[in-house]
Amino acid sequence: MITLFAKTKQTTHNWQLRPPPFLIGAALVFWGWQTDLMIWALPMALLLEAPQYIRARWEFSNADLNRVFDLCVIIGIAVAVILYNSESQLQFFFKWIQSMPFFFLPIILAQRYGSRDKMELSVFSWVMRRRPDHPLAKTSFNISWIYFAFCLLGASAVNGELPWFFVGLSALIVLALGAVRSRRLPLPFWFLLVGLAVTGGYFAQRFMHAGQASLEVAIGNWLANASRRHQVNYREVRTAIGQGGRMHLTGKIVLRVQVEPGEQPPALLREATFESYRRGVWQAGDAQFDRVFVDTNDVALVRPGVKPKSAVRIAGYLTNGKGVLAIPSGVTELRDFPALLETNRLGVAQADGGPGFVNYLVRYNPEMFLDSPPTDSDRDPDLVPIRDRATLDKIITELDLSSKSMPDKLKAIAAYFQQNFQYSLDSKPSPRGQSPIVQFLTETHSGHCEHFATAATLLLRRACVPARYAVGYAVPESGRHGNTWYVRERHGHAWVMVYLDDKKRWEEFDPTPPSREFIEESRASALEGISDFGSNLWFQFSKWRWGKTEFTKYIPWFLIPLILYMLWRILSGKRRRQGRDSSPTEKEPIWPGLDSELYLINRHLAAELQRRADEPLREWQQRLVVDPSDRINQIFALHRRLRFDPKGLSPDDRKELKTGVEQWLAIIRNRAGV
Amino acid sequence: MFCPDLKFQTGGKSYAIKQIKESAMTKTLKLEDQMNPENTLDLLPHLPTINDSRLASPAMVNNGVMQPENPSPYEVYQRLSASIESVMRGQKASTRLLIAALASGGHVLLEDFPGTGKTTLAKVLARSIDADFKRVQFTPDLLPSDILGVSVFNQRDQSFSFHRGPIFTNVLLADEINRASPRTQSALLEAMGEAQVSVEGERRELPSLFFVIATQNPIEFRGTYPLPEAQMDRFAMQFDLGYVTLEHEVAVLTAQQKKHPVESVTPCVNMHDVLRLREAVQNIRVSEELKHYVVKLVTATRTAPGVLLGASPRGSIALMKTAQALALFDHHEFVHPEHIHEIVVATLAHRLVLEPQAKFSGATARGVVEEILKQVPVPG
C-alpha cells in the first residue's frame, strides 16, 4: 500500500487527471435533461459535487472498492434483466445505455468521497484481482473521466432533439478539454481551434446520422435473416429454378407442431400462394389484407360459421412480432394468438404487433379453404409462358389428360412425375435461351420441389385446370418426437393448389416424388442433436418469457431476493475467499502468543508505520523506536519471548506486557488528540 | 610415494607454508598417538582423550596467565570473535557466520576473489582454537588417496601401515576445491557428512572437531570442475568475504608492515571449549512456529520460478542449527526470526540449481532466496 502511494505521487500530476469542478455534475444534469430523468439526475449531481465542500473522507481499502464495483455490476445486470422483460429488443439496449450513469453511481461516489484520487485497474477486472502480479494490476487512474463519458453516452442514447443535444454535448466537451488544455497556445487561438472542431463535428455528425440510418436498416435486415428463417414475401417468390447448384438448407427447427395423442398433423403448412409465373418468379396478384377480429381472449375467428374438424398447436418465432404464419389450409380460428391478424384472398395469414414468440392453437377444416375462387389467371392456358407451351402440350397429349376426369388427371400427373423423374437437391443451370421448365421436363428429369410444383401448376393450367403455386412447410414423419413434430428449415416445400370445379373447392396436390423426404433427411447434419438441444432450451425459455404476459410483471419480485442474496454473497465474500486461499491441507496452526497485546499497537498506527508481512520484528522495532532506552524496547522483548520462546512468559511478565502496551497506547492516543 | 605436504608447495603463500608444514606434521603424529577411542567422555561421543595436553584449558598451558578456565559458551564466541577480528579487519559479519558454522557443526564454502583473506581466515580460526590445521591445495591431478591417506608396506615389519591423509585434522582448508576432479571432490563427501572416512574398506573416525573451510574462485572457469550438487549440499553455508572498506584495508597494511598478525595469534580457547559451545548451541530453544517458518522458506525454494533444484531438508537443518548458533552469539536463549533472516541466504542460496533460461535472464540463486524472504510472511 505504502509503496503504491509513493509511486503514483511520483509518476502523475493530479491537476491533469482530476476533472474541473462541476463538470461531472453538469454532465449528469445534461444526461437527466436528455433522458427525462431530471428527478434522479439532480440529486445525483448534488451528491457528486458535494465533496468539494465536505472535508471528511472515507478510507476505502482495495477490497472495499472491489465490492463497490461488484455492486455496480449487479445493478447493471438487474437493470438489464428488467429492461429486457419490459422493453422491445432494440429499445432494451438503448435504455440500458441510458441508465449507465445510474448504475455506475456507487463506484464514482466511492472515489469522490474516498481519500484516494485514483483506483487501481484490478478493481475493474476479476482476472487481475486473482493475479495481483499482473503488469497492469497496479495501474491506477481517475474514473471521473470515464463516468463523464458514460453520462454523455447515456444522453446520446436518447433519440431526442438533435440540435440541443449537440449544443450541450459540445459545451461539456469544450469545458472538459479547456480544463486540461495545453498552456502553450494562447487562449483565443485555442477557442478558434475548438470552434472549428465543433463546426466540423456538427456537419460530420449530420452526415453520419444519414449513414447510420441506412446502416441500421441494413443491419436490421441482416439480423432478421441471420437470427431466424428468412421471412416469406407473399407478393413474389424467386425460385431456384434454372440457377443450378445445390440447395443449402439447415436443420434449424423453425416450427414445433403438436397434436392431440393419436391424431396426425396436417401434411403441409402453407405460408403463401402465388398466381402468375414468369422466368423463375412466382407472383401474387392483388393481395389486399383484411383485418381479422382478435378478441380479448386472444382468439382470432378467421371464418366464423365454418366448423373446424381438426386442431393443431403450432409454436414458432415472429421477428419483431410480425410475419407470415405457416398454417394448415382451411383455417377457421386461431386461439392463444396475442397479435393482430390479417388474411387475404390467397389464404395468406399475416401477424403484426405480436411478441417474439407465438404458440397458438389452429383449428381448421381441410375441406373448406380460405382461398378465393380461381380467377382467369389461374385457369387461362394462354397465360402459360410461350416457350413452355409446346413441351407441356406434348405431355398433355402423351398422358391423354383432356379426356380424363379430375381425380384421374391428378393421379396421372403424379404417376408421371414419380415414374420418370428423380428428386434431387442438385441441379444444373439452364443454358441461355432455354426455359428451365423445358430443360427439367425433357432433359434432366430431376429437380427439387420448386421444379415439380411449378411444372405441375403450368401443366394443369395448360390442361384448363385452375391451379396455384403454394409455398410453406411439409410436416415430415421423421420429425416426430412424441406428439410434437419438428419442422426444420430444410422442410421448406412447394406444392400445387388445385381447384375442383365440380366440388367448388380447392385441394392441395403435391407432385413431388415421396423420395424427397428420404433424400432430405440423409442430408441432416450429424450434430443436429446438439443444435436441437440448444434450440429446445431456447424454446423453453421463449415459452416462459412470452408465455404469460402477467408473469413478466412479477419478475422484479423474483429478482429482488436474488439481488439481495448476491449482495450478501459479496459482503460475506471476504471471509470465504480468505478461507479458500489458504489451502486446506496446509492450514496454519494457531501459534502461541498470537494474542499478544503488541498487535493492538500495530492496529493503531498509521498505515506506513505498520509492520509489513515480510518485515522482521527487529526492523520494525528499529523503525518505530528511535531511543534504545525507551521502555517500548522492553515490551518488544517480552513480546518476543511470548511469541518465540517455547518456554513462554510467566504470568507476571504477561501482565507486564499488557500494562506496558496499554501505557503506550495511551501515549499514542494523547499524541493523536494533540 | 605419499607425501601429505607436497601440495602445500603449489600455493603462492610460501612464508606460511614452512611453519604450517612443521606444526602440522608434529601435531598429526601427536594426535595419532594420543587418539584412544576407549577413553572418551560420556557426554561427547567423539571427544578426544582427557589427558591430551591441548584439551587442558589455555590457562593451564600458559602457566597461569589470567585466562579464566571453562569460559561460558558465549564467552567462547566472544574470544574467538575478538581473536579473528584482530587479524581480519572489517569482516565482522563474515566472522560471525564462520563461527556460527563452526558452532553448529557445519562446514563452510568461501567463494571469493584471490587475496581477500580466505586462507587467513581459516588459519586464524585454527590458531585461535589451539587445534590442528591442515591445508590441501586442490589441483586437477589430486587423487582421493592424497586426501584420505594410503596404506604403505613396511618392509621391516613385513606389514601394511596406514598413513593418514591431511583429512585427519581439526580444521581443514580445502583451497580452490573446484580445481580437483569430481572424484577427488567426492572424497570429502563422507568425511563432511558423517565425520568418518572409509579407506580400503576400513572405517576410520575423524577427530570430534572436524571443520572444513573450502574456497573456490568465482572468476576462474578454465580448468575447474564445478562442485556437484551433493557436495554443495554438504556445506552448511556459503558466503564471501568481499573487499573491505578503504579504512580497513589501510589498517590491514599497517598491521602487516613488520610481520603477519596471524603469527602473533595465540590460542584463546581449546577444543573442549568449542565442543561445549556446540553443545550449548544445540540447547538453544526453537519454537514450533519458527521451525515451520524455516521449512516454509526451504519448500518455497523448491517451487520458486526458475529453480530447477530447490534446497534439501539438509538445508532446513543447517538453517535451523546456524540460527541457533546466532541466537547464542546474541546472548539469547531462543531463536528469533531475525536470526533465520540473517542466515537464510548464506545457508540456502548455494543449494539451488537454477534453470538455464533463468540464469541467462540474469536470475541468481541469491536473488531467488531474497525474493522468497519477501514473499513468505515472517512471524512477528
Side-chain angles (χ1 to χ4, degrees):
Chain A
M1 275 336 270
I2 302 152
T3 50
L4 174 81
F5 275 132
K7 200 173 153 194
T8 50
K9 268 176 195 157
Q10 281 162 12
T11 50
T12 53
H13 304 284
N14 282 339
W15 63 268
Q16 275 189 334
L17 285 161
R18 194 185 291 160
F22 302 114
L23 181 72
I24 304 294
L28 262 177
V29 169
F30 176 66
W31 167 75
W33 171 42
Q34 290 290 316
T35 53
D36 260 347
L37 291 171
M38 200 54 112
I39 296 176
W40 293 97
L42 268 181
M44 279 162 74
L46 288 175
L47 209 58
L48 281 180
E49 294 302 335
Q52 293 187 45
Y53 307 101
I54 300 171
R55 290 191 65 189
R57 285 291 180 273
W58 210 303
E59 187 86 47
F60 287 111
S61 71
N62 267 8
D64 295 331
L65 294 179
N66 289 351
R67 269 177 246 161
V68 172
F69 183 69
D70 289 348
L71 178 71
C72 292
V73 171
I74 287 177
I75 298 175
I77 292 171
V79 167
V81 171
I82 291 171
L83 288 177
Y84 184 75
N85 281 295
S86 57
E87 304 282 342
S88 72
Q89 276 179 32
L90 200 68
Q91 280 296 306
F92 146 70
F93 183 65
F94 283 113
K95 286 266 179 191
W96 188 75
I97 296 271
Q98 282 175 31
S99 62
M100 274 166 97
F102 179 66
F103 56 76
F104 282 114
L105 186 69
I107 192 81
I108 183 83
L109 281 177
Q111 182 180 289
R112 287 253 156 170
Y113 284 88
S115 55
R116 283 196 252 163
D117 242 6
K118 300 191 188 72
M119 287 188 190
E120 286 173 23
L121 205 56
S122 60
V123 171
F124 308 96
S125 161
W126 283 277
V127 178
M128 287 185 197
R129 284 186 205 172
R130 276 164 203 277
R131 289 180 46 201
D133 54 337
H134 194 279
L136 292 174
K138 294 285 172 207
T139 319
S140 55
F141 58 95
N142 190 316
I143 63 161
S144 297
W145 287 114
I146 296 173
Y147 192 73
F148 175 71
F150 280 161
C151 288
L152 298 189
L153 196 66
S156 68
V158 187
N159 211 358
E161 314 98 301
L162 199 67
W164 283 113
F165 169 74
F166 188 76
V167 169
L169 183 74
S170 308
L172 282 171
I173 291 177
V174 168
L175 257 176
L177 289 177
V180 294
R181 79 182 178 89
S182 162
R183 298 288 187 269
R184 197 165 51 85
L185 288 177
L187 198 62
F189 188 61
W190 184 81
F191 269 115
L192 183 73
L193 283 182
V194 169
L196 275 176
V198 168
T199 321
Y202 180 73
F203 288 105
Q205 61 90 16
R206 280 191 68 168
F207 176 73
M208 277 175 70
H209 196 254
Q212 186 202 353
S214 53
L215 191 70
E216 265 177 12
V217 171
I219 287 178
N221 287 344
W222 178 78
L223 277 178
N225 289 347
S227 60
R228 261 146 237 168
R229 188 181 157 269
H230 181 66
Q231 291 284 319
V232 167
N233 185 346
Y234 54 84
R235 290 186 190 281
E236 68 171 35
V237 62
R238 180 169 291 277
T239 64
I241 296 172
Q243 286 177 358
R246 166 177 284 198
M247 297 284 282
H248 282 288
L249 290 169
T250 67
K252 201 169 139 187
I253 299 172
V254 184
L255 298 170
R256 284 170 174 79
V257 177
Q258 201 181 355
V259 293
E260 291 291 313
E263 288 191 28
Q264 280 290 317
L268 299 167
L269 298 175
R270 181 149 58 112
E271 283 183 321
T273 317
F274 301 93
E275 292 168 307
S276 61
Y277 174 77
R278 198 172 152 270
R279 292 182 183 270
V281 178
W282 276 101
Q283 283 177 321
D286 171 34
Q288 187 70 45
F289 278 95
D290 294 320
R291 176 68 54 84
V292 175
F293 176 71
V294 183
D295 72 10
T296 46
N297 292 327
D298 290 339
V299 176
L301 289 172
V302 181
R303 274 186 301 165
V306 178
K307 225 178 157 192
K309 282 192 174 173
S310 308
V312 60
R313 185 165 276 283
I314 299 175
Y317 300 94
L318 288 179
T319 309
N320 291 336
K322 55 183 171 186
V324 172
L325 302 178
I327 45 175
S329 301
V331 58
T332 59
E333 68 178 66
L334 265 60
R335 285 177 177 271
D336 306 331
F337 192 73
L340 304 174
L341 187 69
E342 295 172 324
T343 55
N344 72 359
R345 63 173 181 90
L346 292 174
V348 179
Q350 187 176 233
D352 200 355
F357 171 84
V358 280
N359 183 8
Y360 53 92
L361 186 78
V362 183
R363 294 191 169 189
Y364 65 101
N365 185 337
E367 286 157 18
M368 304 287 285
F369 279 20
L370 185 62
D371 308 57
S372 64
T375 57
D376 285 346
S377 63
D378 295 325
R379 67 167 81 230
D380 191 352
D382 293 336
L383 286 178
V384 172
I386 299 169
R387 52 183 185 166
D388 298 332
R389 282 182 200 167
T391 317
L392 293 169
D393 290 341
K394 206 176 136 199
I395 295 169
I396 288 168
T397 17
E398 197 180 309
L399 296 177
D400 193 18
L401 284 184
S402 30
S403 65
K404 283 188 172 136
S405 69
M406 190 64 204
D408 289 343
K409 276 182 193 167
L410 295 181
K411 268 185 207 156
I413 294 172
Y416 171 72
F417 280 127
Q418 201 170 336
Q419 283 160 15
N420 304 321
F421 288 75
Q422 271 186 343
Y423 183 82
S424 164
L425 288 168
D426 303 300
S427 58
K428 275 195 286 184
S430 57
R432 272 184 85 83
Q434 192 189 7
S435 159
I437 293 298
V438 174
Q439 188 200 15
F440 166 68
L441 289 172
T442 58
E443 288 174 26
T444 59
H445 291 273
S446 85
H448 48 83
C449 56
E450 286 175 337
H451 289 104
F452 286 101
T454 305
T457 312
L458 298 180
L459 198 61
L460 283 165
R461 285 184 181 179
R462 197 68 192 151
C464 299
V465 180
R468 288 174 183 168
Y469 175 84
V471 295
Y473 290 96
V475 182
E477 191 51 40
S478 64
R480 179 170 185 168
H481 293 78
N483 286 328
T484 307
W485 275 257
Y486 291 171
V487 179
R488 301 173 193 278
E489 198 176 286
R490 67 163 176 271
H491 296 142
H493 195 37
W495 61 95
V496 186
M497 303 289 294
V498 186
Y499 190 74
L500 309 177
D501 273 321
D502 48 345
K503 291 179 185 165
K504 300 266 182 253
R505 69 180 181 87
W506 289 94
E507 200 174 79
E508 284 170 332
F509 168 56
D510 189 358
T512 309
S515 64
R516 174 188 69 87
E517 196 177 312
F518 173 73
I519 289 171
E520 275 178 357
E521 293 314 310
S522 68
R523 289 281 177 89
S525 159
L527 300 175
E528 206 160 83
I530 296 170
S531 67
D532 281 3
F533 179 72
S535 171
N536 283 336
L537 280 185
W538 183 247
F539 174 70
Q540 293 301 335
F541 173 74
S542 302
K543 237 163 69 169
W544 171 79
R545 161 143 159 58
W546 300 107
K548 295 248 188 284
T549 45
E550 289 291 309
F551 191 65
T552 51
K553 286 182 189 167
Y554 298 113
I555 284 177
W557 297 105
F558 288 103
L559 277 176
I560 287 167
L562 191 71
I563 290 168
L564 287 177
Y565 171 71
M566 286 177 86
L567 275 176
W568 174 78
R569 278 289 302 267
I570 285 172
L571 292 177
S572 64
K574 191 186 170 195
R575 192 180 52 225
R576 202 173 299 221
R577 216 165 288 146
Q578 277 175 349
R580 198 169 41 203
D581 281 351
S582 57
S583 58
T585 46
E586 287 177 35
K587 209 178 171 190
E588 189 81 7
I590 295 167
W591 299 113
L594 283 177
D595 54 345
S596 169
E597 284 80 9
L598 192 69
Y599 296 120
L600 286 176
I601 289 182
N602 195 27
R603 228 176 284 164
H604 276 83
L605 289 172
E608 60 268 22
L609 282 178
Q610 284 174 2
R611 191 176 84 87
R612 295 189 305 270
D614 66 328
E615 189 174 34
L617 209 54
R618 193 189 290 163
E619 284 175 29
W620 184 47
Q621 187 183 353
Q622 284 163 359
R623 263 196 322 135
L624 279 185
V625 190
V626 185
D627 183 8
S629 63
D630 206 317
R631 179 144 186 268
I632 296 166
N633 289 315
Q634 288 172 17
I635 299 173
F636 270 100
L638 285 172
H639 171 78
R640 277 211 187 82
R641 274 174 58 201
L642 177 65
R643 290 282 283 118
F644 303 120
D645 192 348
K647 271 189 177 172
L649 277 184
S650 69
D652 286 346
D653 287 344
R654 190 79 180 73
K655 213 177 275 172
E656 201 184 328
L657 174 64
K658 198 178 170 187
T659 50
V661 169
E662 277 165 1
Q663 283 167 10
W664 189 10
L665 275 178
I667 296 169
I668 291 179
R669 286 198 189 111
N670 278 342
R671 275 187 203 158
V674 168
Chain B
M1 178 185 162
F2 174 67
C3 173
D5 295 330
L6 183 67
K7 305 299 169 194
F8 293 179
Q9 288 156 11
T10 58
K13 296 145 188 171
S14 57
Y15 68 92
I17 286 175
K18 257 185 201 166
Q19 199 188 18
I20 298 164
K21 200 170 163 183
E22 283 169 17
S23 68
M25 285 294 269
T26 50
K27 279 180 184 171
T28 313
L29 288 174
K30 255 200 239 165
L31 189 69
E32 273 175 44
D33 296 338
Q34 288 160 3
M35 281 283 260
N36 186 356
E38 288 150 352
N39 205 352
T40 51
L41 279 179
D42 293 336
L43 247 179
L44 308 160
H46 305 306
L47 203 67
T49 50
I50 277 287
N51 55 4
D52 181 351
S53 65
R54 283 170 301 112
L55 274 179
S57 73
M60 283 161 73
V61 174
N62 293 345
N63 289 328
V65 178
M66 292 320 285
Q67 284 271 37
E69 277 184 49
N70 290 332
S72 72
Y74 179 64
E75 219 170 308
V76 171
Y77 160 69
Q78 281 191 320
R79 283 189 196 174
L80 277 175
S81 178
S83 173
I84 295 171
E85 273 170 43
S86 69
V87 179
M88 300 297 296
R89 305 296 172 103
Q91 295 284 11
K92 210 167 180 172
S94 304
T95 308
R96 191 171 143 95
L97 290 182
L98 182 75
I99 304 174
L102 174 74
S104 60
H107 306 284
V108 166
L109 177 64
L110 296 173
E111 186 177 278
D112 217 329
F113 305 109
T116 45
K118 299 182 294 275
T119 315
T120 315
L121 183 67
K123 260 165 67 179
V124 71
L125 178 76
R127 273 174 169 260
S128 306
I129 303 174
D130 184 24
D132 198 21
F133 170 72
K134 277 185 189 152
R135 170 180 169 166
V136 180
Q137 182 69 38
F138 277 60
T139 57
D141 58 347
L142 193 74
L143 294 174
S145 58
D146 294 342
I147 298 172
L148 303 179
V150 71
S151 288
V152 178
F153 186 68
N154 190 330
Q155 291 211 327
R156 198 168 40 180
D157 301 348
Q158 292 289 303
S159 64
F160 281 95
S161 61
F162 181 69
H163 281 247
R164 289 168 181 247
I167 199 154
F168 292 91
T169 185
N170 297 122
V171 179
L172 177 73
L173 173 62
D175 218 358
E176 301 195 344
I177 190 169
N178 55 345
R179 290 202 163 276
S181 63
R183 183 184 166 206
T184 312
Q185 289 170 359
S186 302
L188 285 173
L189 280 181
E190 191 188 359
M192 288 169 66
E194 292 151 57
Q196 64 175 35
V197 287
S198 301
V199 186
E200 292 164 9
E202 202 178 323
R203 194 175 70 89
R204 294 167 197 272
E205 287 204 355
L206 292 176
S208 53
L209 177 64
F210 175 67
F211 183 52
V212 176
I213 304 175
T215 71
Q216 60 176 4
N217 295 341
I219 47 168
E220 293 181 5
F221 295 109
R222 199 172 285 177
T224 58
Y225 302 89
L227 288 178
E229 289 84 35
Q231 178 74 47
M232 287 297 259
D233 205 29
R234 253 97 182 160
F235 288 103
M237 60 172 81
Q238 180 197 35
F239 58 93
D240 46 35
L241 295 174
Y243 295 117
V244 291
T245 59
L246 186 132
E247 235 170 86
H248 283 124
E249 202 161 334
V250 171
V252 170
L253 292 189
T254 314
Q256 298 205 9
Q257 219 166 355
K258 288 186 178 153
K259 62 169 189 173
H260 200 287
V262 171
E263 288 165 32
S264 56
V265 171
T266 51
C268 55
V269 292
N270 59 29
M271 275 170 52
H272 200 144
D273 295 332
V274 174
L275 295 172
R276 275 194 299 115
L277 174 67
R278 282 192 175 180
E279 198 193 348
V281 164
Q282 287 164 9
N283 290 333
I284 294 290
R285 298 191 287 274
V286 189
S287 75
E288 284 299 308
E289 186 179 5
L290 289 184
K291 282 179 194 164
H292 269 79
Y293 180 52
V294 164
V295 174
K296 270 186 207 162
L297 288 172
V298 171
T299 45
T301 64
R302 295 171 200 161
T303 53
V307 173
L308 204 63
L309 179 72
S312 58
R314 193 185 274 139
S316 321
I317 296 166
L319 182 53
M320 185 189 74
K321 284 188 168 178
T322 40
Q324 281 177 298
L326 291 182
L328 187 139
F329 297 170
D330 287 348
H331 223 318
H332 292 311
E333 290 177 342
F334 54 93
V335 174
H336 293 193
E338 292 84 4
H339 298 130
I340 296 168
H341 252 231
E342 184 182 343
I343 208 81
V344 71
V345 172
T347 49
L348 294 187
H350 66 282
R351 294 170 208 266
L352 306 189
V353 180
L354 296 186
E355 282 171 0
Q357 296 103 309
K359 258 191 229 170
F360 283 130
S361 58
T364 59
R366 195 190 169 92
V368 169
V369 175
E370 279 167 357
E371 189 56 38
I372 286 168
L373 264 185
K374 279 183 198 159
Q375 279 168 5
V376 180
V378 52

